[in-house]
Short mmCIF file of all heavy atoms in Angstrom, two decimals:
data_model
loop_
_atom_site.label_atom_id
_atom_site.label_comp_id
_atom_site.label_asym_id
_atom_site.label_seq_id
_atom_site.Cartn_x
_atom_site.Cartn_y
_atom_site.Cartn_z
N TYR A 32 -108.63 106.39 37.23
CA TYR A 32 -109.65 107.04 36.44
C TYR A 32 -109.37 106.70 34.98
O TYR A 32 -108.21 106.53 34.59
CB TYR A 32 -109.62 108.55 36.63
CG TYR A 32 -109.83 109.02 38.04
CD1 TYR A 32 -108.88 109.81 38.69
CD2 TYR A 32 -111.00 108.72 38.73
CE1 TYR A 32 -109.07 110.27 39.98
CE2 TYR A 32 -111.20 109.17 40.02
CZ TYR A 32 -110.23 109.94 40.64
OH TYR A 32 -110.43 110.39 41.92
N PHE A 34 -110.22 107.71 30.76
CA PHE A 34 -110.65 108.80 29.90
C PHE A 34 -110.56 108.40 28.43
O PHE A 34 -109.77 107.53 28.05
CB PHE A 34 -109.74 110.04 30.08
CG PHE A 34 -109.53 110.47 31.51
CD1 PHE A 34 -108.51 109.92 32.27
CD2 PHE A 34 -110.35 111.42 32.08
CE1 PHE A 34 -108.30 110.32 33.58
CE2 PHE A 34 -110.16 111.83 33.39
CZ PHE A 34 -109.13 111.27 34.14
N TYR A 36 -110.04 110.86 24.99
CA TYR A 36 -109.85 112.19 24.42
C TYR A 36 -109.90 112.09 22.90
O TYR A 36 -109.53 111.07 22.31
CB TYR A 36 -108.49 112.77 24.82
CG TYR A 36 -108.42 113.29 26.23
CD1 TYR A 36 -108.10 112.44 27.29
CD2 TYR A 36 -108.64 114.63 26.52
CE1 TYR A 36 -108.01 112.90 28.59
CE2 TYR A 36 -108.55 115.11 27.82
CZ TYR A 36 -108.24 114.24 28.84
OH TYR A 36 -108.16 114.71 30.12
N GLN A 38 -108.65 114.22 19.30
CA GLN A 38 -107.77 115.26 18.78
C GLN A 38 -108.05 115.42 17.29
O GLN A 38 -107.76 114.52 16.49
CB GLN A 38 -106.30 114.90 18.99
CG GLN A 38 -105.34 116.01 18.60
CD GLN A 38 -103.90 115.68 18.99
OE1 GLN A 38 -103.47 114.52 18.90
NE2 GLN A 38 -103.15 116.68 19.42
N ASN A 41 -104.47 119.24 13.78
CA ASN A 41 -103.85 120.52 14.15
C ASN A 41 -104.53 121.19 15.35
O ASN A 41 -104.55 122.43 15.44
CB ASN A 41 -103.84 121.47 12.96
CG ASN A 41 -103.06 120.89 11.80
OD1 ASN A 41 -101.96 120.38 11.96
ND2 ASN A 41 -103.64 120.95 10.62
N GLN A 42 -105.09 120.39 16.23
CA GLN A 42 -105.71 120.94 17.42
C GLN A 42 -105.21 120.21 18.67
O GLN A 42 -104.54 119.18 18.59
CB GLN A 42 -107.24 120.84 17.33
CG GLN A 42 -107.84 121.71 16.24
CD GLN A 42 -109.36 121.73 16.30
OE1 GLN A 42 -109.96 121.56 17.35
NE2 GLN A 42 -109.99 121.94 15.15
N GLY A 43 -105.58 120.76 19.82
CA GLY A 43 -105.26 120.10 21.08
C GLY A 43 -106.25 118.99 21.38
O GLY A 43 -107.02 118.57 20.52
N LEU A 44 -106.23 118.51 22.59
CA LEU A 44 -107.08 117.39 23.00
C LEU A 44 -108.37 117.89 23.64
O LEU A 44 -108.38 118.86 24.39
CB LEU A 44 -106.33 116.53 24.03
CG LEU A 44 -105.06 115.87 23.53
CD1 LEU A 44 -104.29 115.29 24.70
CD2 LEU A 44 -105.38 114.79 22.54
N GLN A 45 -109.45 117.17 23.35
CA GLN A 45 -110.74 117.48 23.95
C GLN A 45 -111.26 116.23 24.65
O GLN A 45 -111.23 115.13 24.09
CB GLN A 45 -111.73 117.92 22.87
CG GLN A 45 -113.10 118.30 23.39
CD GLN A 45 -114.07 118.69 22.28
OE1 GLN A 45 -113.79 118.53 21.10
NE2 GLN A 45 -115.22 119.21 22.67
N LEU A 46 -111.75 116.40 25.88
CA LEU A 46 -112.26 115.27 26.62
C LEU A 46 -113.61 114.82 26.06
O LEU A 46 -114.53 115.62 25.95
CB LEU A 46 -112.42 115.64 28.09
CG LEU A 46 -112.91 114.53 29.02
CD1 LEU A 46 -111.87 113.42 29.13
CD2 LEU A 46 -113.23 115.08 30.41
N LYS A 49 -115.33 110.39 30.67
CA LYS A 49 -114.46 109.92 31.72
C LYS A 49 -115.23 108.98 32.64
O LYS A 49 -116.44 109.12 32.82
CB LYS A 49 -113.89 111.09 32.53
CG LYS A 49 -114.96 111.94 33.20
CD LYS A 49 -114.34 113.18 33.84
CE LYS A 49 -115.44 114.07 34.42
NZ LYS A 49 -114.90 115.36 34.94
N LEU A 51 -115.07 107.76 36.52
CA LEU A 51 -114.47 108.00 37.83
C LEU A 51 -114.90 106.90 38.80
O LEU A 51 -114.08 106.35 39.54
CB LEU A 51 -114.88 109.38 38.36
CG LEU A 51 -114.57 110.57 37.44
CD1 LEU A 51 -115.03 111.88 38.09
CD2 LEU A 51 -113.10 110.62 37.10
N PHE A 90 -107.70 109.05 21.77
CA PHE A 90 -106.75 108.57 22.76
C PHE A 90 -107.47 108.08 24.00
O PHE A 90 -108.28 108.81 24.59
CB PHE A 90 -105.76 109.67 23.15
CG PHE A 90 -104.84 110.09 22.05
CD1 PHE A 90 -105.15 111.20 21.26
CD2 PHE A 90 -103.68 109.39 21.78
CE1 PHE A 90 -104.31 111.59 20.23
CE2 PHE A 90 -102.83 109.77 20.76
CZ PHE A 90 -103.14 110.88 19.98
N SER A 94 -105.38 107.73 34.79
CA SER A 94 -104.61 108.44 35.80
C SER A 94 -104.93 107.83 37.15
O SER A 94 -106.03 107.34 37.38
CB SER A 94 -104.91 109.94 35.79
OG SER A 94 -106.22 110.19 36.23
N TYR A 96 -105.69 107.82 41.18
CA TYR A 96 -106.48 108.67 42.06
C TYR A 96 -105.61 109.74 42.71
O TYR A 96 -105.99 110.90 42.83
CB TYR A 96 -107.11 107.83 43.17
CG TYR A 96 -108.29 106.99 42.76
CD1 TYR A 96 -108.71 106.91 41.43
CD2 TYR A 96 -109.00 106.26 43.70
CE1 TYR A 96 -109.79 106.13 41.06
CE2 TYR A 96 -110.08 105.49 43.34
CZ TYR A 96 -110.48 105.43 42.03
OH TYR A 96 -111.55 104.65 41.68
N SER A 97 -104.41 109.33 43.12
CA SER A 97 -103.57 110.23 43.91
C SER A 97 -102.82 111.26 43.09
O SER A 97 -102.29 112.22 43.62
CB SER A 97 -102.56 109.41 44.72
OG SER A 97 -101.76 108.63 43.85
N SER A 98 -102.73 111.06 41.80
CA SER A 98 -102.02 112.01 40.93
C SER A 98 -102.78 112.14 39.62
O SER A 98 -102.27 111.81 38.56
CB SER A 98 -100.59 111.57 40.69
OG SER A 98 -100.54 110.28 40.12
N ALA A 99 -104.00 112.66 39.76
CA ALA A 99 -104.90 112.66 38.61
C ALA A 99 -104.44 113.58 37.50
O ALA A 99 -104.90 113.46 36.37
CB ALA A 99 -106.30 113.03 39.06
N SER A 100 -103.56 114.52 37.82
CA SER A 100 -103.08 115.42 36.77
C SER A 100 -102.05 114.77 35.88
O SER A 100 -101.75 115.27 34.81
CB SER A 100 -102.49 116.69 37.39
OG SER A 100 -103.51 117.45 37.98
N LYS A 101 -101.48 113.64 36.30
CA LYS A 101 -100.53 112.91 35.48
C LYS A 101 -101.31 111.86 34.70
O LYS A 101 -101.68 110.81 35.23
CB LYS A 101 -99.45 112.24 36.31
CG LYS A 101 -98.45 111.46 35.47
CD LYS A 101 -97.39 110.79 36.33
CE LYS A 101 -96.43 109.98 35.47
NZ LYS A 101 -95.39 109.32 36.29
N ILE A 102 -101.58 112.16 33.45
CA ILE A 102 -102.39 111.28 32.62
C ILE A 102 -101.46 110.45 31.73
O ILE A 102 -100.55 110.98 31.11
CB ILE A 102 -103.37 112.09 31.75
CG1 ILE A 102 -104.30 112.92 32.64
CG2 ILE A 102 -104.18 111.15 30.87
CD1 ILE A 102 -105.27 113.79 31.87
N ILE A 103 -101.72 109.15 31.71
CA ILE A 103 -100.96 108.23 30.85
C ILE A 103 -101.83 107.93 29.63
O ILE A 103 -102.94 107.41 29.78
CB ILE A 103 -100.63 106.93 31.58
CG1 ILE A 103 -99.96 107.21 32.93
CG2 ILE A 103 -99.76 106.02 30.70
CD1 ILE A 103 -98.68 107.96 32.84
N PHE A 104 -101.33 108.26 28.45
CA PHE A 104 -102.09 108.09 27.22
C PHE A 104 -101.68 106.83 26.46
O PHE A 104 -100.52 106.41 26.51
CB PHE A 104 -101.88 109.29 26.30
CG PHE A 104 -102.54 110.56 26.76
CD1 PHE A 104 -101.89 111.43 27.62
CD2 PHE A 104 -103.81 110.89 26.31
CE1 PHE A 104 -102.51 112.60 28.04
CE2 PHE A 104 -104.43 112.06 26.72
CZ PHE A 104 -103.78 112.91 27.59
N GLY A 105 -102.63 106.29 25.73
CA GLY A 105 -102.32 105.27 24.76
C GLY A 105 -101.74 105.89 23.50
O GLY A 105 -101.62 107.13 23.41
N SER A 106 -101.42 105.06 22.54
CA SER A 106 -100.75 105.55 21.33
C SER A 106 -101.73 106.11 20.30
O SER A 106 -101.30 106.67 19.28
CB SER A 106 -99.94 104.43 20.69
OG SER A 106 -100.78 103.31 20.44
N GLY A 107 -103.02 105.97 20.54
CA GLY A 107 -104.01 106.58 19.67
C GLY A 107 -104.57 105.65 18.62
O GLY A 107 -103.91 104.70 18.18
N SER B 31 -103.60 124.65 38.52
CA SER B 31 -102.71 123.56 38.15
C SER B 31 -102.42 123.60 36.65
O SER B 31 -103.34 123.78 35.84
CB SER B 31 -103.36 122.22 38.51
OG SER B 31 -102.56 121.13 38.03
N SER B 33 -100.16 121.44 33.65
CA SER B 33 -99.35 120.26 33.29
C SER B 33 -98.84 120.42 31.87
O SER B 33 -99.50 121.03 31.03
CB SER B 33 -100.19 118.99 33.40
OG SER B 33 -100.64 118.78 34.72
N TYR B 35 -97.19 118.32 28.45
CA TYR B 35 -97.07 117.03 27.78
C TYR B 35 -96.31 117.22 26.47
O TYR B 35 -96.42 118.25 25.82
CB TYR B 35 -98.45 116.44 27.46
CG TYR B 35 -99.24 116.04 28.68
CD1 TYR B 35 -99.94 116.98 29.42
CD2 TYR B 35 -99.30 114.70 29.08
CE1 TYR B 35 -100.66 116.60 30.55
CE2 TYR B 35 -100.02 114.32 30.20
CZ TYR B 35 -100.69 115.27 30.91
OH TYR B 35 -101.41 114.89 32.03
N GLN B 37 -95.96 115.51 22.71
CA GLN B 37 -96.58 114.57 21.78
C GLN B 37 -95.75 114.48 20.51
O GLN B 37 -95.80 115.37 19.65
CB GLN B 37 -98.02 114.97 21.45
CG GLN B 37 -98.74 113.94 20.59
CD GLN B 37 -100.18 114.30 20.27
OE1 GLN B 37 -100.60 115.45 20.41
NE2 GLN B 37 -100.95 113.33 19.85
N GLY B 40 -97.35 110.84 15.70
CA GLY B 40 -97.77 109.45 15.63
C GLY B 40 -97.87 108.74 16.97
O GLY B 40 -98.16 107.54 17.02
N GLN B 41 -97.67 109.47 18.06
CA GLN B 41 -97.74 108.87 19.39
C GLN B 41 -98.71 109.64 20.28
O GLN B 41 -99.13 110.75 19.95
CB GLN B 41 -96.35 108.85 20.03
CG GLN B 41 -95.33 108.02 19.28
CD GLN B 41 -93.98 108.02 20.00
OE1 GLN B 41 -93.89 108.31 21.19
NE2 GLN B 41 -92.94 107.68 19.27
N GLY B 42 -99.04 109.05 21.41
CA GLY B 42 -99.85 109.74 22.39
C GLY B 42 -99.01 110.71 23.20
O GLY B 42 -97.79 110.59 23.26
N PRO B 43 -99.64 111.68 23.82
CA PRO B 43 -98.90 112.63 24.66
C PRO B 43 -98.21 111.93 25.83
O PRO B 43 -98.74 110.96 26.38
CB PRO B 43 -99.99 113.58 25.15
CG PRO B 43 -101.11 113.44 24.17
CD PRO B 43 -101.07 112.01 23.75
N PHE B 45 -96.43 112.73 29.65
CA PHE B 45 -96.39 113.68 30.75
C PHE B 45 -94.97 114.14 31.01
O PHE B 45 -94.05 113.32 31.13
CB PHE B 45 -96.98 113.02 31.99
CG PHE B 45 -96.88 113.83 33.24
CD1 PHE B 45 -97.77 114.87 33.48
CD2 PHE B 45 -95.92 113.55 34.19
CE1 PHE B 45 -97.69 115.60 34.65
CE2 PHE B 45 -95.83 114.28 35.36
CZ PHE B 45 -96.72 115.31 35.59
N GLN B 48 -96.00 118.65 36.18
CA GLN B 48 -97.19 119.29 36.70
C GLN B 48 -96.79 120.28 37.77
O GLN B 48 -95.96 119.98 38.64
CB GLN B 48 -98.18 118.29 37.28
CG GLN B 48 -99.51 118.93 37.62
CD GLN B 48 -100.04 118.58 38.99
OE1 GLN B 48 -99.60 117.62 39.60
NE2 GLN B 48 -101.01 119.34 39.47
N ARG B 57 -93.29 114.88 37.93
CA ARG B 57 -92.29 114.95 36.86
C ARG B 57 -92.30 113.61 36.13
O ARG B 57 -92.26 112.56 36.77
CB ARG B 57 -90.92 115.25 37.43
CG ARG B 57 -89.77 115.17 36.45
CD ARG B 57 -88.43 115.37 37.16
NE ARG B 57 -88.20 116.77 37.46
CZ ARG B 57 -87.39 117.55 36.77
NH1 ARG B 57 -86.73 117.06 35.72
NH2 ARG B 57 -87.20 118.81 37.12
N GLY B 58 -92.31 113.68 34.81
CA GLY B 58 -92.24 112.48 34.01
C GLY B 58 -90.80 112.08 33.76
O GLY B 58 -89.86 112.68 34.28
N LEU B 88 -95.13 118.20 19.33
CA LEU B 88 -96.17 119.14 19.76
C LEU B 88 -96.15 119.17 21.28
O LEU B 88 -96.26 118.12 21.93
CB LEU B 88 -97.54 118.69 19.25
CG LEU B 88 -98.74 119.57 19.60
CD1 LEU B 88 -98.65 120.90 18.86
CD2 LEU B 88 -100.05 118.86 19.24
N LEU B 90 -97.98 120.25 24.59
CA LEU B 90 -99.32 120.56 25.05
C LEU B 90 -99.30 121.00 26.50
O LEU B 90 -98.59 120.43 27.33
CB LEU B 90 -100.24 119.35 24.91
CG LEU B 90 -100.50 118.88 23.48
CD1 LEU B 90 -101.09 117.47 23.50
CD2 LEU B 90 -101.44 119.82 22.76
N SER B 94 -106.08 122.69 35.17
CA SER B 94 -107.21 122.18 35.92
C SER B 94 -107.34 122.97 37.21
O SER B 94 -106.43 123.70 37.61
CB SER B 94 -107.06 120.68 36.22
OG SER B 94 -105.91 120.45 37.00
N ALA B 96 -107.51 121.88 40.32
CA ALA B 96 -106.71 121.43 41.45
C ALA B 96 -105.68 120.42 41.01
O ALA B 96 -105.58 120.09 39.82
CB ALA B 96 -107.62 120.84 42.52
N SER B 97 -104.94 119.92 41.98
CA SER B 97 -103.80 119.06 41.69
C SER B 97 -104.16 117.61 41.54
O SER B 97 -103.53 116.87 40.80
CB SER B 97 -102.76 119.20 42.80
OG SER B 97 -101.69 118.29 42.61
N SER B 98 -105.17 117.17 42.25
CA SER B 98 -105.51 115.75 42.19
C SER B 98 -107.01 115.59 42.21
O SER B 98 -107.75 116.54 42.42
CB SER B 98 -104.90 115.00 43.38
OG SER B 98 -105.39 115.52 44.59
N GLY B 99 -107.44 114.39 41.99
CA GLY B 99 -108.88 114.16 41.94
C GLY B 99 -109.36 114.15 40.50
O GLY B 99 -109.26 115.13 39.80
N GLY B 100 -109.86 113.03 40.07
CA GLY B 100 -110.25 112.91 38.67
C GLY B 100 -111.41 113.80 38.29
O GLY B 100 -111.65 114.03 37.12
N SER B 101 -112.13 114.30 39.29
CA SER B 101 -113.25 115.16 38.94
C SER B 101 -112.77 116.51 38.44
O SER B 101 -113.54 117.28 37.90
CB SER B 101 -114.17 115.35 40.16
OG SER B 101 -113.44 115.93 41.22
N GLU B 103 -111.30 118.08 35.80
CA GLU B 103 -110.98 117.81 34.41
C GLU B 103 -109.84 118.69 33.94
O GLU B 103 -109.74 119.86 34.31
CB GLU B 103 -112.21 118.07 33.55
CG GLU B 103 -111.97 117.92 32.06
CD GLU B 103 -113.22 118.23 31.26
OE1 GLU B 103 -114.32 118.15 31.83
OE2 GLU B 103 -113.09 118.54 30.07
N GLN B 104 -108.98 118.11 33.11
CA GLN B 104 -107.90 118.87 32.52
C GLN B 104 -108.34 119.40 31.17
O GLN B 104 -108.89 118.67 30.36
CB GLN B 104 -106.66 117.99 32.36
CG GLN B 104 -106.00 117.67 33.69
CD GLN B 104 -104.55 117.29 33.52
OE1 GLN B 104 -103.77 117.99 32.90
NE2 GLN B 104 -104.20 116.15 34.07
N PHE B 106 -107.02 121.14 27.69
CA PHE B 106 -105.78 121.24 26.92
C PHE B 106 -105.79 122.46 26.00
O PHE B 106 -106.83 122.84 25.43
CB PHE B 106 -105.57 119.99 26.07
CG PHE B 106 -105.07 118.82 26.87
CD1 PHE B 106 -105.95 118.03 27.59
CD2 PHE B 106 -103.72 118.51 26.90
CE1 PHE B 106 -105.49 116.95 28.33
CE2 PHE B 106 -103.25 117.43 27.64
CZ PHE B 106 -104.13 116.66 28.36
N GLY B 107 -104.62 123.04 25.85
CA GLY B 107 -104.44 124.11 24.88
C GLY B 107 -104.16 123.53 23.50
O GLY B 107 -104.06 122.31 23.35
N PRO B 108 -104.03 124.39 22.48
CA PRO B 108 -103.83 123.93 21.11
C PRO B 108 -102.42 123.42 20.85
O PRO B 108 -102.19 122.76 19.84
CB PRO B 108 -104.13 125.17 20.27
CG PRO B 108 -103.79 126.30 21.18
CD PRO B 108 -104.15 125.85 22.56
#
Side-chain angles (χ1 to χ4, degrees):
Chain A
Y32 300 122
F34 310 87
Y36 284 86
Q38 186 173 37
N41 300 314
Q42 294 188 28
L44 297 169
Q45 181 182 9
L46 182 66
K49 59 187 177 186
L51 305 180
F90 293 96
S94 68
Y96 285 5
S97 58
S98 58
S100 291
K101 179 180 178 180
I102 301 178
I103 309 299
F104 288 87
S106 55
Chain B
S31 174
S33 298
Y35 293 80
Q37 186 179 17
Q41 298 182 20
F45 174 79
Q48 189 227 343
R57 172 185 283 257
L88 180 68
L90 295 164
S94 61
S97 174
S98 61
S101 59
E103 176 181 338
Q104 289 202 52
F106 283 83

